[in-house]
């Protein structure tokens, strides 16, 4: 094995609930506008159209429970989502067998510099500056399918300082988890360690330093993240 010319970057490792082992992250895909009520609040048609995805970086996932308010934005929004963790992948995966590739699920936040995202949308430019910044995806422990099963329904909520801001049901996803995996695998080769953020229900809004965000999903418990 050849040596590397620089120090090797660390593997992003997420804690697995009920285990000393970790889940290693390869890629992070995020779906846009996957709950009709959220599409409407963002000014779009809620009809089912082809899904679209953007990416965050593996090391944007952050299990620390803290979210440092990022620079160059005065309108940072919370988006409560569930993250789907893959244990295997491939190309052209059929919808019917897509869930066989899922290792587990975690609570997550797709934190967004909404002002910068809006400027990029308006200019027809990529969204990374609004979406893929440092520690932009707080995430809870990974719950294995063996322990929690597959999640296709149940309440997803987000409170800020105890006030309910986001409320939906996983069964309101326009593109279901198996469909997202199948669709992505037509365009990308999916693999073990890939993570899919599955979209957010309506009620997104700004946070400020000191706020405590609490996301909860039946079966996954809750995750508290403080804006620092
Ligand atoms: Mn999102």
């Amino acid at each position: 094995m050849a040596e590397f010319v620089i120090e090797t970057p660390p593997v992003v490792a997420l804690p697995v609930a009920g285990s000393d082992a970790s889940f290693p992250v390869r890629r992070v895909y995020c779906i846009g506008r996957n709950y009709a009520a959220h599409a409407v609040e963002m000014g779009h048609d809620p009809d089912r159209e082809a899904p679209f995805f953007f990416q965050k970086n593996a090391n944007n996932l952050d299990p620390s429970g803290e979210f440092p308010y990022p620079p160059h934005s005065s309108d940072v929004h919370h988006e409560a989502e569930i993250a789907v963790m893959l244990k295997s992948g491939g190309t052209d995966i059929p919808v019917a067998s897509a869930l066989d590739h899922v290792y587990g699920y975690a609570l997550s936040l797709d934190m967004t510099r909404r002002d910068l995202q809006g400027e990029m949308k308006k200019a027809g430019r990529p969204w990374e500056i609004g979406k893929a910044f440092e520690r932009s995806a707080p995430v809870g422990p990974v719950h294995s399918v063996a322990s929690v099963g597959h999640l296709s329904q149940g309440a997803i909520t987000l409170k800020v300082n105890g006030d309910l801001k986001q409320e939906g049901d996983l069964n309101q996803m326009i593109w279901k988890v198996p469909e997202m995996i199948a669709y992505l695998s037509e365009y990308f080769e999916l693999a073990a360690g890939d993570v899919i953020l599955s979209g957010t229900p309506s009620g997104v809004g700004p946070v400020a330093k000191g706020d405590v965000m609490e996301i909860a999903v039946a079966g996954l418990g809750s995750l508290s993240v403080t804006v620092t």
Side-chain angles (χ1 to χ4, degrees):
M1 185 74 178
E3 286 186 15
F4 294 108
V5 295
I6 58 166
E7 198 176 327
T8 54
V11 172
V12 176
L14 301 178
V16 173
S19 168
D20 292 333
S22 300
F23 180 90
V25 180
R26 193 183 80 118
R27 295 181 184 171
V28 182
Y29 296 98
C30 310
I31 191 169
R33 294 175 211 140
N34 201 30
Y35 288 73
H38 173 61
V40 170
E41 78 178 347
M42 297 303 290
H44 297 278
D45 196 306
D47 290 345
R48 180 162 153 134
E49 52 184 17
F52 71 94
F53 294 84
F54 56 92
Q55 284 178 262
K56 294 202 181 208
N57 302 293
N59 64 3
N60 293 155
L61 292 175
D62 179 4
S64 72
E66 289 190 357
F67 171 71
Y69 200 95
H72 297 293
S73 177
S74 56
D75 193 26
V76 176
H77 280 202
H78 54 74
E79 296 191 0
E81 317 209 352
I82 60 166
V84 183
M85 275 67 184
L86 300 190
K87 63 181 178 186
S88 56
T91 54
D92 299 322
I93 296 169
V95 171
S97 60
L99 288 181
D100 295 345
H101 297 282
V102 177
Y103 172 78
Y105 301 89
L107 297 171
S108 65
L109 288 161
D110 168 16
M111 299 304 294
T112 303
R113 290 195 277 217
R114 191 73 74 202
D115 40 6
L116 299 187
Q117 184 200 23
E119 289 172 20
M120 294 303 110
K121 280 184 183 177
K122 205 170 162 187
R125 290 177 179 165
W127 290 7
E128 279 86 349
I129 204 167
K131 286 289 195 179
F133 54 91
E134 305 314 317
R135 301 174 71 175
S136 57
V139 62
V142 180
H143 296 265
S144 68
V145 169
S147 60
V148 298
H150 287 291
L151 303 178
S152 59
Q153 58 178 13
I156 176 170
T157 58
L158 181 129
K159 293 177 181 173
V160 178
N161 303 328
D163 296 333
L164 186 63
K165 299 288 187 185
Q166 291 193 259
E167 187 174 25
D169 194 293
L170 300 180
N171 68 13
Q172 295 164 341
M173 284 184 195
I174 297 170
W175 293 87
K176 311 299 183 192
V177 172
E179 293 172 322
M180 280 187 259
I181 293 169
Y183 188 92
L184 275 169
S185 76
E186 292 177 18
Y187 292 87
F188 303 96
E189 182 169 357
L190 298 178
D194 288 353
V195 174
I196 303 170
L197 266 58
S198 55
T200 196
S202 61
V204 301
V207 295
K209 284 180 188 174
D211 283 349
V212 177
M213 304 177 282
E214 187 181 10
I215 173 175
V217 167
L220 297 181
S222 66
L223 168 71
S224 206
V225 178
T226 303
V227 184
T228 59

